[in-house]
Amino acid sequence: TPAAERAGGLAVRGPAGIGKSAFGAQVARLARDEGWTVVAVDAVRPDHPYAAIAAALEQLVMRDPSMLEAIGAPARSVLAMLTPLAAPASAMQGPLSRHQVIGALRRALRAAAKGAPALLQVDDAHLVDDADADALLHLAATGRPVHILLAARPLPADSALGRGVARLAAGGRLAALDLGPLADEDARSLVAHAAPLEPPVVEQIVRLAEGNAFAALELARCAGPEGASRLPASAGEAVTARLCDVDPRVMSLLKSLALAADELDPAAVVALSPGDEAQTFALLDAALEAGALVVCGTRYRFRHELVRQALLEQIPPHQRLKLHREAARRLAQLDAPAALVARHWLAGGSPAEATPWLLEAAREALRLAAFADALAQLGPVLAFDPHHVEALPLPAEALDALG
C-alpha cells in the first residue's frame, strides 16, 4: 500500500515468548539477502543514555573503522561522546544536542551501507530509555534509505516509545504489527520439530502453551518418557525443571546474575560471584552448557528473558533486598555505570545510598542531552529528599532544555 511504502520502519509487538525475535531475525535475513546493511542489537535495561544506539554504533565501527572517516569530523565528535570506539575525535564545539546525535547516527548508518538501504533492528525495544526512543523514532519518521525494526512487548500508552509508535503509525510513517498466539496446528508443528513425542503429549503441550512459541518449545524439551503425566504446568516451571540437575553453585550464580543486570561482562560476573576468577569461569562454563546463558559479543546474557524471570521468581523477597545491596556494593567497586549501581540500591530499599549515584547518572544524562532520562534519575532523589541542595536545580535545567 502507499502507506506501507512510505513507512520508515516496522514495530512488532507481542507478549514475551510469542515469537517477536524469530520474526525479526527472519526479516533481517531477508533484508541481507537483498543487499541491505543490517545492524541488530538487543536492548537491555539501560545503564547510560543512548545504550542501544551506542551498541549499534560499536557494531558499525568494528565492522568497518573507515566509516568514521566517511561521516566527517563533526559527526565523529558526536559519536565519540557515546562510545570510546569513535575516538580519537575533536572536542565538541558547544553542548551536545539530541538532533546532533540523531544526525550522526543516520550518517553512520548511511556510510556503513555505502549506498544500499540500512536496517537497524532493535530487539526488546520496550527496554530502551527515552533518549534511544526519541532517536529511533526520528529515524523511522525520516525514512529511506534508513529503516527501523523494533520488536517489543506491548508498550504502555504513556511511554515515550508507546506514544511515538502510535503517532508514527497513525501518520503512515511506521507500520505496526501485533503478533498473536500460534494456531494449534502451527504449535503442533513447532513441538514436533523440537522433539519426537507421542500425539497425546503433543496435544497436552499445545494446550498448556496457549499459543506461546517459547512455552511450547520449553515444554517439549522437558517432556520425558513419562509423557503428559510429568509435564510442567508452565514455561517458567519448564525452565526450572530443565535446570534442576544443575550444580547448586551454578544456580546460585545464575540467580545473582538474573538479579544483577540483563547483560554482564566477565569482570562483573567475577565481582558478583563468591568464588575467585577460576572458580567463577568454571561455573560460567557450566551455565553455558546448561543453556541458561549465551555469549553476546564480549558479554553474557540469559538465553531468554523468561529464563531470567523464572530464576528471579525463586528468590524470596527478603533475599532479593540483600542481593541487590550486595550487587550495588560490588558493582560500585568495579566502577560500574552509576545508573546500574543506583538501580540496585533503590531495589534494595536504600534510597540514601542510591542518591549520589542517581545524581551522577543524571549529570551524565544532561551532558548527553538525554533530558528526559535525567529527570527520571532525579525523581527518586527528590522523592526521598525534596530539598536536596544538589538535585534541586537540575530538573529546571532539564525541563528548560526539553521546552
Side-chain angles (χ1 to χ4, degrees), residues 249-288:
R249 296 171 300 169
V250 178
M251 283 296 289
S252 178
L253 177 63
L254 285 173
K255 290 176 184 178
S256 295
L257 300 185
L259 180 138
D262 297 335
E263 285 188 356
L264 290 164
D265 60 27
V269 175
V270 172
L272 293 166
S273 171
D276 60 22
E277 182 178 280
Q279 293 169 328
T280 301
F281 287 173
L283 297 178
L284 266 179
D285 286 337
L288 291 166

Side-chain angles (χ1 to χ4, degrees), residues 65 125 136 151 155 157 181 191 236 240 269 278 285 288 366:
L136 293 169
L155 299 166
V191 171
T240 303
V269 175
D285 286 337
L288 291 166
L366 289 171

Side-chain angles (χ1 to χ4, degrees), residues 148-234:
I148 303 298
L149 172 58
L150 307 176
R153 295 186 192 178
L155 299 166
D158 61 348
S159 68
L161 191 61
R163 291 193 306 269
V165 166
R167 182 181 69 252
L168 293 181
R173 309 303 301 179
L174 183 76
L177 175 65
D178 292 304
L179 292 186
L182 290 173
D184 285 355
E185 188 57 37
D186 293 330
R188 290 187 192 99
S189 297
L190 185 66
V191 171
H193 187 266
L197 300 171
E198 294 296 324
V201 181
V202 173
E203 291 305 315
Q204 178 75 340
I205 290 173
V206 169
R207 184 184 67 79
L208 290 171
E210 297 181 327
N212 186 288
F214 178 82
L217 289 171
E218 289 299 304
L219 290 164
R221 290 163 182 159
C222 272
E226 299 87 352
S229 64
R230 294 293 301 275
L231 277 176
S234 66

Side-chain angles (χ1 to χ4, degrees), residues 96-98 365-366 368-376 397-399 401-402:
L96 182 68
S97 74
R98 62 192 183 95
L366 289 171
L368 296 177
F371 303 111
D373 295 343
L375 291 172
E397 181 180 343
L399 289 169
L402 285 170

